[in-house]
Amino acid sequence: MPPSPSSPPRPPRAVRRARASAALTAVLALLSFVMPLATDMYLPAFPRMAADLGTDASGVQLTLTAFMVGLALGQLVFGPLSDRFGRRRPILVGTGVCACATALCAVAPTLEWMILLRWLTGVGGAAGLVVGRAVVADLARGEQAARLFGILMALGGVAPIVAPLAGGAVVTATGWRAVFWVLAAASLVTFAAAYAIVPESLPPARRTPVGAAAVARSVRSVLADRAYLGFTGAFAFGSAALFCYIAGSPFLLQNVLGLSVGQSSAAFAAGALTATLSSALSARLVGSFSPWSLLLAGLVLLAVAAATALAVTALDRLGRIEAFTLLGLAFLGLGLVFANGTTLAVGAVPHAAGAGSAVLGTAQSALGALAAPLMGLGGDRTALPMFLGMTGSAALALLCLASARPRPAAAPHRDFLGNS
């Protein structure tokens, strides 16, 4: 039946598809945004939390540790489950659990309850990260996937910049418990957006059996893939370099370079902004350069910057100009590593994208947890451990990349919306 004269003209099919693709990209970015927000936004509340919950700084720090452990374990759970039940249900279940647990954190009466609930928040929130990557792997390949991952990394990279500033404002205005109400509301919005927009990207014919044995087989299949291992190692060790900086930056910025707390916060935000802009640049460069070439360029830039900073520090010639210049170059390299490492690793195992994404995220968390405590071994008046860790991590990432071989990108069987 033709439309009535008063009916507005319907947009062309290409326009509708472009709008749907943009909406899906926005929701996937939101899924990758909320977890960094949940990690960093409540950090300014630590002193007040310690006083209200009757504990010390170490006790409050356990809530962050529990969150990171839950995040790592949750990826191992939801990744393989999404290979069996599809992508949509695990995202909704995990995001719903995250929203409920975060709201309960706002009313937690004791430190023990807070630790348990933060662990549960990490487990639930892991679904958005791990399954979101699998959705991209389902719907895109090669250059298109690299471009999308670059966009997601760029948008998700905004969270570490704004989270501490927003958290400090909320804590000052309304108290530390309000931070968790804000985070719960953000998780609820994410759940609603995922319910409304994220499609089922894994058809039943491509799903795998579930169960401990099936999960083990799925994980073994990705671990047996040489290319996957190489790309995952490159991504994970590149991420370890970032964790070395995160753990060592308070010593460098305040004790070595003599910055104030406010100046240190601004310098940290500038580093996150640099990596975010680099990820956005990576998304634009895909097409002119392959993801493998961009990953190699990022790791080389990271390694050269870190090794130069290590040499300058060993010679006792590290000043503010040298430090900020070399760290800026390192963050430019990291922006290229994250998007393209993810693209190549998950794209190497399209038959088990959920398991591949889970192992990738778990390796990243594990190496980060291992690297961070080592940064204080030299004391709090030197940056040598930090730059040594960054240099070593970058070198190992390059070795992992050398063990993999770039594969020709397969033509995508579907576009980003899943159309044939």
Side-chain angles (χ1 to χ4, degrees), residues 11 17 50 74 85 87-88 101 124 149 156 162 167 170 174 190 214 221 261 272 275 312 315 338 356 372 395 403 408:
R17 287 175 55 190
F85 294 107
R87 312 305 188 198
R88 184 173 163 82
F149 278 125
V162 304
V170 172
T174 55
T190 303
S221 72
V261 174
V312 171
L315 294 172
F338 293 145
S403 71

Side-chain angles (χ1 to χ4, degrees), residues 94-182:
T95 307
V97 169
C98 179
C100 293
T102 304
L104 290 173
C105 284
V107 295
T110 65
L111 176 65
E112 291 76 17
W113 273 107
M114 181 63 75
I115 291 172
L116 175 62
L117 291 168
R118 285 295 286 172
W119 175 82
L120 193 58
T121 300
V123 171
L129 294 177
V130 67
V131 186
R133 289 193 295 259
V135 169
V136 175
D138 290 339
L139 301 181
R141 297 283 188 273
E143 294 178 0
Q144 188 185 24
R147 187 174 293 109
L148 288 167
F149 278 125
I151 293 171
L152 297 184
M153 295 293 176
L155 294 175
V158 175
I161 302 172
V162 304
L165 302 176
V170 172
V171 170
T172 301
T174 55
W176 68 268
R177 293 186 183 273
V179 171
F180 292 101
W181 288 121
V182 172

Side-chain angles (χ1 to χ4, degrees), residues 19-28 88 191-200:
R19 290 175 179 173
S21 177
L24 178 56
T25 301
V27 174
L28 293 177
R88 184 173 163 82
F191 174 87
Y195 181 84
I197 294 173
V198 175
E200 179 49 69

Side-chain angles (χ1 to χ4, degrees), residues 37-47 49 60-61 64 163-164 167 171 179:
L37 196 69
T39 304
D40 297 337
M41 190 172 175
Y42 86 123
L43 298 181
F46 273 17
M49 287 178 62
V60 176
Q61 188 70 29
L64 182 59
V171 170
V179 171

Side-chain angles (χ1 to χ4, degrees), residues 386-412:
M386 186 189 82
F387 287 126
L388 181 61
M390 292 179 68
T391 303
S393 297
L396 289 171
L398 283 168
L399 287 175
C400 290
L401 183 60
S403 71
R405 295 290 182 269
R407 298 175 174 177

